[in-house]
Amino acid sequence: MANVTKKVSWSSRADDSNATGEGTPLLHGSEQLGNSRQQSGGSISQIGRVSTVNMDEEITSEEDSLKGRPKEITHNEKLLSLKYESLDYDNSENQLFLEEERRMSYLGFRCLEISRWVVCGLIGFLTGLIACFIDIMVEQLAGLKYYVVKENIEKFTAGGGLSISLILWAVLNSAFVMVGAVMVAFFEPIAGGSGIPQIKCYLNGVKIPRVVRLKTLLVKVAGVICSVAGGLAVGKEGPMIHSGAVVAAGVSQGRSTSLKRDFKIFEYFRRDTEKRDFVSAGAAAGVSAAFGAPVGGVLFSLEEAASYWNQMLTWRIFFASMISTFTLNFFLSVYNNNPGELSNPGLINFGSFDGNSSSEYNLYEIPLFIGMGAIGGLLGALFNALNYWLTIFRIRYIHRPCLQVMEAMLVAAVTATVSFIMIYFSNACQPLDVVQGEDYPLQLYCADGEYNSMATTFFNRPEKSVQNLFHNPPGSYDPLTLGMFTITYFFLACWTYGLAVSAGVFIPSLLIGAAWGRLIGIMLPTLSSANATGQIWADPGKYALIGAAAQLGGIVRMTLSLTVILIEATGNVTYGLPLMLVLMTAKIVGDYFEEGLYDIHIKLQSVPFVHSEAPPTSHWLTAREVMSSPVTSFNRVERVGTIVDLLSNTSTNHNGFPVVVSNANGEEPAKLCGLILRSQLIVLLKHKVFVELARSKLTRRKLQLKDFRDAYPRFPPIQSIHVSQDERECMMDLTEFMNPTPYTVPQETSLPRVYKLFRALGLRHLVVVDDSNRVVGLVTRKDLARYHLGKHGLEELQLAQT
Amino acid sequence: MANVTKKVSWSSRADDSNATGEGTPLLHGSEQLGNSRQQSGGSISQIGRVSTVNMDEEITSEEDSLKGRPKEITHNEKLLSLKYESLDYDNSENQLFLEEERRMSYLGFRCLEISRWVVCGLIGFLTGLIACFIDIMVEQLAGLKYYVVKENIEKFTAGGGLSISLILWAVLNSAFVMVGAVMVAFFEPIAGGSGIPQIKCYLNGVKIPRVVRLKTLLVKVAGVICSVAGGLAVGKEGPMIHSGAVVAAGVSQGRSTSLKRDFKIFEYFRRDTEKRDFVSAGAAAGVSAAFGAPVGGVLFSLEEAASYWNQMLTWRIFFASMISTFTLNFFLSVYNNNPGELSNPGLINFGSFDGNSSSEYNLYEIPLFIGMGAIGGLLGALFNALNYWLTIFRIRYIHRPCLQVMEAMLVAAVTATVSFIMIYFSNACQPLDVVQGEDYPLQLYCADGEYNSMATTFFNRPEKSVQNLFHNPPGSYDPLTLGMFTITYFFLACWTYGLAVSAGVFIPSLLIGAAWGRLIGIMLPTLSSANATGQIWADPGKYALIGAAAQLGGIVRMTLSLTVILIEATGNVTYGLPLMLVLMTAKIVGDYFEEGLYDIHIKLQSVPFVHSEAPPTSHWLTAREVMSSPVTSFNRVERVGTIVDLLSNTSTNHNGFPVVVSNANGEEPAKLCGLILRSQLIVLLKHKVFVELARSKLTRRKLQLKDFRDAYPRFPPIQSIHVSQDERECMMDLTEFMNPTPYTVPQETSLPRVYKLFRALGLRHLVVVDDSNRVVGLVTRKDLARYHLGKHGLEELQLAQT
């Protein structure tokens, strides 16, 4: 099973990640302890007892056979993977760092600040360009496809033989999707899906392997073009967020490790702290480009990144967002031959919701909206539950790349077929002049001058369909069309999410919601007697908007940022209150049944995600109970051999080591005097910074911060560093390189307090000390992520090596 | 001088604040040390040497006479007052607290969460109601005033004797303003001004005395109505933010100490942590009601409150904001006889900026906008500099309440006179039909069917004037009118801000900016030759908007939140980028010359304001250098007499005391085992929680968290607690009541690191320990606020007892 999980996981190529040293787990606690813990681990573990299930060992296999297969797969989400590292959001303020900072003049800091702004501007610009590229490519390719199919359908409508059109459509769809799926499945599995869960994790402080690589970006962009052009029930908005993040990670580093090009700029930004800040700007720029919602983008980043509010950083994020939407807007205006007319702020355009009086809502509509929110929550929970089971199924059976490609092609063909059948059997016709901007009106069996109304939703790019549902005048759709469409599209979208293609779930959600929302809007006047209030019900587009919000909120469960994104997308503040109420209701109702879609996928990957607050009933846990101990620590001056041995110990792949000074009588535990990271030790070993060598070669260049930055972020694994037998006997002085002031907490600190400190400062290691400042334990991400509030009170997840 | 400063300070009644124990300063460091420091203090102090100037002692008087008066007044801003306490944003997680939390079930936490939402809903609702009340009252009173004056002017226009009209106008203005000024100057000086600086300080964690009292709210609301109706160059928006904050502080506590009513609800929220969270919601609700900008409100609160981002809290803040704007909107719609038509989201309404194509901007206009931003920054800096000198003047000469009232009345009369003269000598006439919504068109010497265009700006409520400048069709104003208006209003507004009346600076800033912005908009077509691009320049309203933003940005220097507020107020996301660029330029240009208006006033009050980041060049300062030492600490079991003596020592009014255990050989310093607050000790003393008494009276009720909550927030001063000579010999066991896990840092921690921890967690006391966990110092707010980046690098402010 371990293997199975690996295959579809976000870091599916274990060989690769191990080789680059990115997949080394964090478990702190000796091997021996790990084993003893295992025996106590059951399917529901008990609080206060640390339990680790090492999936690679025999004992687990025994447990497997005991519990039987199906149970064990669902078990998956009760695990916390040890393969994900944390980001070092806390600067290691060692002597080298302080020296550099102290050398820097005020002007130096100003220049740094300016270059941060420049980087953010670049991020925004490039993200906007990418959004523009995706938009134009999709429009061209999809336009071509629909044109060909439309011609074909029109050719065969009279003479019969529409099955040929169906086959043509299905083949075209499958071909597009195949290209996208092959790239994702074979080249970069991490580029699959919307990318939002991955970016959420990254911003949360989890280092997801390869998530911000150039290759991921290329596959993502090409993949999303293929899947949208291939007619799948997907959107191109989610992937934009991922793309923005990758752009940010690349631009801010001033080099590409993949391309082996180093531009020697922005070297100061080569550490996790700065990089994560830029990635939040990138994600915000992505949201901004996707929805034309710069403020929503900022809030999205803040909601996810969630360390303490830094005013300048937020302002820079906002700048990147603004530049991004502006760039997209400008280039699209040039593309549409209206240079300078900035009316396309985002990839999705909800159209203008103001000007006409029918866009007003009234007080007595509020309960109605809340009711729709509840429906959205219910449908969202259903969607998520179905998708959850589907994902479990995929984890078990569809883990080979070729199978994944085949599934994607199948879905593409089915989508085309179902759409075709729906259009074929629909006899809802509408006069052509009602709708102006209809791109591909299908006449089919309608009278001349009329078109098939089912086709406006199915035979169209999803963004356009959403707009149509929002803005087409009353009477453009009949209830049966909308009902059928809702049901079909619901299942199609649910099947599609999780395929090995780059694709977002925003647009399908909006589309489903808009369809049933408009349906409600159409039904309402018929339900209520036609009285004076009839005027208010007149606009079903308003209900389509509310329905879309409800459905989206029910599926993804984002709250504040989503409200703002939707407000910005509609361009109308008046809808703020109803949208907020709807999203809140959808979240409350949905949460009762099932988690949000992104959270489900994060959980299925067993990512140690640290939420913004400790579970409410966790006050009776203290640092003593949650910490890992005993802790492997080093002396201030340590023998090289000891260090190499400890780093090479694969069973305990620690990443942070307290540095201690033993007092005179050498008693244990020893007093804390610093904290050093694996990556720092590796650089020290690589440069052979040994006390003895320093004495012999006086001319030897002193190690500088630059050496650490050059190695960042792909520090070599310990295996690649050769240390001779003689060198093993040398000593290493860690004083200059360790962080001399790591954050500490006393053993009695309550979990919420530990949690708050950890989260507020974005820590990776928090040292637990006794009342004499002696190291007794270490709290890391997984020690906190382990506790969550389940149905039966506080639960503890198990740790696994997968 | 000390006395002078006191008179106009935010806490002008020193007697009162001392009696309630709210004004007790925080200085940590013994008296002796304080004296020794003083001698080293000069007018420019040196870094690394702590300098304290105690203004009440003789040595200061000597210095005074040496340096001469004027120099010494400017000195004021180089001081940091010790009279402001900090809020305890960090929970004291003592045994009582943990027991309560552990006793609480999951359901209990859910109820708590729900009641937080209810409180936020109430805050939003009441804030909206207050905004509505202010709006209606102002409209009625100002309407009445303008009606009377207009009738009078029309009566005397033909027959001469307009001087009677002038006198009538001036008297009416002065009368209104007098009522407002008397209330502020005699009853509640803290209610003067816009209240934004005070709320900024409160959200920053500084306890400003009486700022969130019921009395303050009443005076504020009545005061703002009077000053706006009195025709001063002020707005009613700033005071709304203060009002919202007071509402929040009141509602969330479930009682009013002023009215001596305790509703016995929301008792859990009676501590600084919860209260500050609610106050941020209140401030956001205020912004939201003032500008119809719920998202801007949230961002304002976050920008100012700025501890770490709590998702649920942000969401609640947003909820309060939404309810607030919705309530205002709804009640105004009822008032305007259009119930349900929700088109008045805020007190100020910028009007709709979309629909017509002229609202579009073009790429080549961007540099122009940036240029306008620079002008705004320059004018803003000028405004602030003038106001700064004026405030210094006021501090020195106009500190008696009656003088303050007279000044306010004078300004009111001058405003009326200047307006009248401007209108009288203006001969710019406009045909009446051009402007529809003109409330009080003055014909004066214009031909029939025409009106005086100067009067549309002067003879009107300022909000309406702003709207006119934004939306009146091209040609409504001639350049001379606008130019004259800009200059006059600039000086009037500058004179007005800082008067002893409740009044905001937003609207005057917008008005000045809109006037010169529109002027630029009118001049542009004449400057550029009339070519094809003439169409773009056609709408001067767009330039009015940009100018308004530039001027406002130049004066207040808010960045992110202001951009969002303006975007929401215009209801058009398209203007996002230009607005952001303009505000950024205005800030950069303005900051070069002078600080923001609010910051100036905060500095003049010597408030220890902790900015969101440490000064960039402060890495070479460590905790050892910034901390106060030696620290007064208590033993875990301490003699009552010692505690009483220490608390009564007025020279060292400490508020937090480390609790220590001496080790066997009794060496100093002793090991840290907890932290206890003055307020906690006072409650303990009041309830006589002595070890001996506990033994003798076994039936004695155990002290509970409720006892602390009941005393909150007005803990009695130590002088009011009587401890007999026998009791002085008793012992007090602090174990149960102290916070056993205070945050600590090692001595070597760099200032930015200390700063970050302090700010991220909203701390009040941060204990500095050595490598054996022995207390060596204490860092409090003023230790951090003391360092700031001046023109000559890092500067250190002096501490003063004023």
Coordinates of all heavy atoms in Angstrom, one line a residue, chain B residues 657-693:
Chain B
F657 N 5.7 41.6 37.0 CA 6.8 41.2 37.8 C 7.2 39.7 37.6 O 6.3 38.9 37.7 CB 6.4 41.4 39.3 CG 6.0 42.8 39.6 CD1 4.7 43.1 39.5 CD2 6.9 43.7 40.0 CE1 4.3 44.4 39.8 CE2 6.5 45.0 40.4 CZ 5.2 45.4 40.2
P658 N 8.4 39.5 37.2 CA 8.8 38.1 37.1 C 8.7 37.4 38.4 O 9.0 38.1 39.4 CB 10.2 38.1 36.6 CG 10.4 39.5 36.0 CD 9.5 40.4 36.8
V659 N 8.3 36.2 38.4 CA 8.3 35.4 39.7 C 9.4 34.4 39.6 O 9.6 33.8 38.6 CB 6.9 34.6 39.9 CG1 7.0 33.9 41.2 CG2 5.8 35.6 39.8
V660 N 10.2 34.4 40.7 CA 11.5 33.6 40.6 C 11.6 32.6 41.7 O 10.9 32.7 42.7 CB 12.7 34.5 40.6 CG1 12.7 35.4 39.4 CG2 12.7 35.3 41.9
V661 N 12.4 31.6 41.5 CA 12.8 30.7 42.6 C 14.3 30.8 42.8 O 15.0 30.6 41.9 CB 12.4 29.2 42.4 CG1 11.0 28.9 42.8 CG2 12.6 28.8 40.9
S662 N 14.7 31.2 44.0 CA 16.1 31.2 44.3 C 16.6 29.8 44.4 O 15.8 29.0 45.0 CB 16.4 32.0 45.5 OG 15.7 33.2 45.5
N663 N 17.8 29.5 44.0 CA 18.3 28.2 44.2 C 18.9 28.1 45.5 O 19.0 29.0 46.3 CB 19.2 27.8 43.1 CG 20.3 28.8 42.8 OD1 20.3 29.8 43.5 ND2 21.1 28.6 41.8
A664 N 19.4 26.9 45.8 CA 19.9 26.6 47.2 C 20.8 27.7 47.8 O 20.5 28.2 48.9 CB 20.6 25.2 47.2
N665 N 21.8 28.0 47.1 CA 22.7 29.0 47.7 C 22.3 30.5 47.6 O 23.0 31.4 47.9 CB 24.1 28.8 47.1 CG 24.1 28.5 45.6 OD1 23.1 28.9 45.0 ND2 25.1 27.9 45.0
G666 N 21.0 30.6 47.2 CA 20.4 32.0 47.2 C 21.1 33.0 46.3 O 21.0 34.2 46.6
E667 N 21.8 32.6 45.3 CA 22.5 33.6 44.5 C 21.6 34.4 43.6 O 20.5 33.9 43.3 CB 23.6 32.9 43.6 CG 23.0 32.0 42.6 CD 24.0 31.3 41.7 OE1 25.2 31.4 42.0 OE2 23.6 30.7 40.7
E668 N 22.0 35.5 43.2 CA 21.2 36.4 42.3 C 21.9 36.3 40.9 O 23.1 36.2 40.9 CB 21.2 37.8 42.8 CG 20.3 38.0 44.0 CD 18.8 38.0 43.7 OE1 18.5 38.4 42.6 OE2 18.0 37.5 44.5
P669 N 21.2 36.5 39.8 CA 19.8 36.6 39.7 C 19.2 35.2 39.9 O 19.9 34.2 39.7 CB 19.5 37.1 38.3 CG 20.8 36.8 37.6 CD 21.9 36.7 38.5
A670 N 17.9 35.1 40.2 CA 17.2 33.9 40.4 C 16.5 33.4 39.2 O 16.3 34.1 38.3 CB 16.2 34.0 41.6
K671 N 16.2 32.1 39.2 CA 15.6 31.5 38.1 C 14.1 31.9 37.9 O 13.3 31.9 38.8 CB 15.6 29.9 38.2 CG 16.9 29.4 37.7 CD 16.9 27.9 37.8 CE 18.3 27.5 37.5 NZ 18.6 26.1 37.9
L672 N 13.8 32.1 36.6 CA 12.4 32.5 36.3 C 11.4 31.3 36.4 O 11.7 30.2 36.0 CB 12.4 33.0 34.9 CG 11.0 33.4 34.3 CD1 10.6 34.7 34.9 CD2 11.1 33.5 32.8
C673 N 10.3 31.6 37.1 CA 9.3 30.5 37.1 C 7.9 31.1 36.7 O 7.0 30.3 36.6 CB 9.3 29.7 38.4 SG 8.6 30.6 39.7
G674 N 7.8 32.3 36.5 CA 6.5 32.8 36.1 C 6.5 34.4 36.0 O 7.5 35.0 36.1
L675 N 5.3 34.9 35.7 CA 5.2 36.3 35.5 C 3.8 36.7 36.1 O 2.8 36.0 35.8 CB 5.2 36.7 34.0 CG 5.2 38.2 33.7 CD1 6.6 38.8 33.9 CD2 4.7 38.5 32.3
I676 N 3.8 37.7 36.9 CA 2.5 38.1 37.5 C 2.3 39.6 37.2 O 3.3 40.4 37.2 CB 2.4 37.8 39.0 CG1 1.0 37.8 39.5 CG2 3.3 38.7 39.9 CD1 0.7 36.9 40.6
L677 N 1.1 40.0 37.1 CA 0.7 41.4 36.7 C 0.3 42.2 38.0 O -0.2 41.6 38.9 CB -0.4 41.4 35.7 CG -0.1 40.7 34.4 CD1 -1.4 40.7 33.5 CD2 1.0 41.5 33.7
R678 N 0.5 43.4 37.9 CA 0.0 44.3 39.0 C -1.4 44.1 39.3 O -1.9 44.0 40.4 CB 0.3 45.8 38.6 CG -0.3 46.8 39.5 CD -0.1 48.2 39.0 NE 1.3 48.6 39.3 CZ 1.6 49.3 40.4 NH1 0.7 49.7 41.2 NH2 2.9 49.7 40.5
S679 N -2.2 44.1 38.2 CA -3.7 43.9 38.4 C -4.0 42.6 39.1 O -4.9 42.6 40.0 CB -4.3 44.0 37.0 OG -3.9 42.9 36.2
Q680 N -3.3 41.6 38.8 CA -3.6 40.3 39.5 C -3.2 40.4 41.0 O -4.0 40.0 41.8 CB -2.7 39.2 38.8 CG -3.2 38.9 37.4 CD -2.3 37.9 36.7 OE1 -1.1 37.9 36.9 NE2 -2.9 36.9 36.0
L681 N -2.1 41.0 41.3 CA -1.7 41.2 42.6 C -2.7 42.0 43.4 O -3.0 41.7 44.6 CB -0.3 41.8 42.7 CG 0.9 41.0 42.3 CD1 2.2 41.8 42.2 CD2 1.1 39.8 43.2
I682 N -3.2 43.0 42.8 CA -4.2 43.9 43.5 C -5.4 43.1 43.8 O -6.0 43.2 44.9 CB -4.4 45.1 42.6 CG1 -3.3 46.1 42.8 CG2 -5.7 45.8 43.0 CD1 -3.4 47.4 42.1
V683 N -5.9 42.3 42.9 CA -7.1 41.4 43.2 C -6.7 40.5 44.3 O -7.6 40.3 45.2 CB -7.5 40.7 41.9 CG1 -8.6 39.7 42.2 CG2 -8.0 41.7 40.8
L684 N -5.5 39.9 44.3 CA -5.2 39.0 45.3 C -5.2 39.7 46.7 O -5.6 39.1 47.7 CB -3.8 38.4 45.0 CG -3.7 37.4 43.8 CD1 -2.3 36.9 43.7 CD2 -4.7 36.3 43.9
L685 N -4.6 40.9 46.7 CA -4.5 41.6 48.0 C -5.9 42.0 48.5 O -6.2 41.9 49.6 CB -3.7 42.9 47.8 CG -2.2 42.7 47.7 CD1 -1.5 44.0 47.3 CD2 -1.6 42.1 49.0
K686 N -6.7 42.4 47.5 CA -8.1 42.8 47.9 C -8.9 41.6 48.5 O -9.6 41.8 49.4 CB -8.8 43.3 46.6 CG -10.0 44.2 46.9 CD -10.5 44.8 45.6 CE -12.0 44.7 45.5 NZ -12.6 44.7 44.2
H687 N -8.7 40.4 47.9 CA -9.4 39.3 48.5 C -8.6 38.6 49.6 O -9.0 37.5 50.0 CB -9.7 38.3 47.3 CG -10.7 38.7 46.4 ND1 -10.5 39.6 45.4 CD2 -12.1 38.5 46.4 CE1 -11.6 39.8 44.7 NE2 -12.6 39.2 45.3
K688 N -7.5 39.2 49.9 CA -6.6 38.7 51.0 C -6.3 37.2 50.9 O -6.6 36.4 51.8 CB -7.3 39.0 52.4 CG -7.7 40.4 52.6 CD -7.6 40.9 54.0 CE -8.0 42.4 54.1 NZ -7.0 43.3 53.4
V689 N -5.8 36.8 49.7 CA -5.5 35.4 49.5 C -4.1 35.1 50.1 O -3.1 35.1 49.4 CB -5.4 35.1 48.0 CG1 -5.3 33.7 47.7 CG2 -6.7 35.7 47.3
F690 N -4.1 35.0 51.4 CA -2.8 34.8 52.1 C -2.7 33.3 52.6 O -3.7 32.7 52.9 CB -2.7 35.7 53.3 CG -2.9 37.2 52.9 CD1 -3.5 38.0 53.8 CD2 -2.5 37.7 51.7 CE1 -3.7 39.4 53.5 CE2 -2.7 39.0 51.4 CZ -3.3 39.8 52.3
V691 N -1.5 32.8 52.6 CA -1.3 31.4 52.9 C -1.9 31.2 54.3 O -2.7 30.2 54.5 CB 0.1 31.1 52.9 CG1 0.4 29.6 53.4 CG2 0.7 31.3 51.5
E692 N -1.6 32.1 55.3 CA -2.1 31.9 56.7 C -3.6 31.9 56.8 O -4.2 31.0 57.5 CB -1.5 33.0 57.6 CG 0.0 32.8 57.9 CD 0.9 33.3 56.7 OE1 0.3 33.8 55.7 OE2 2.1 33.1 56.8
L693 N -4.2 32.8 56.1 CA -5.7 32.8 56.1 C -6.3 31.6 55.5 O -7.3 31.1 56.0 CB -6.2 34.1 55.4 CG -5.9 35.4 56.1 CD1 -6.4 36.6 55.3 CD2 -6.5 35.4 57.5

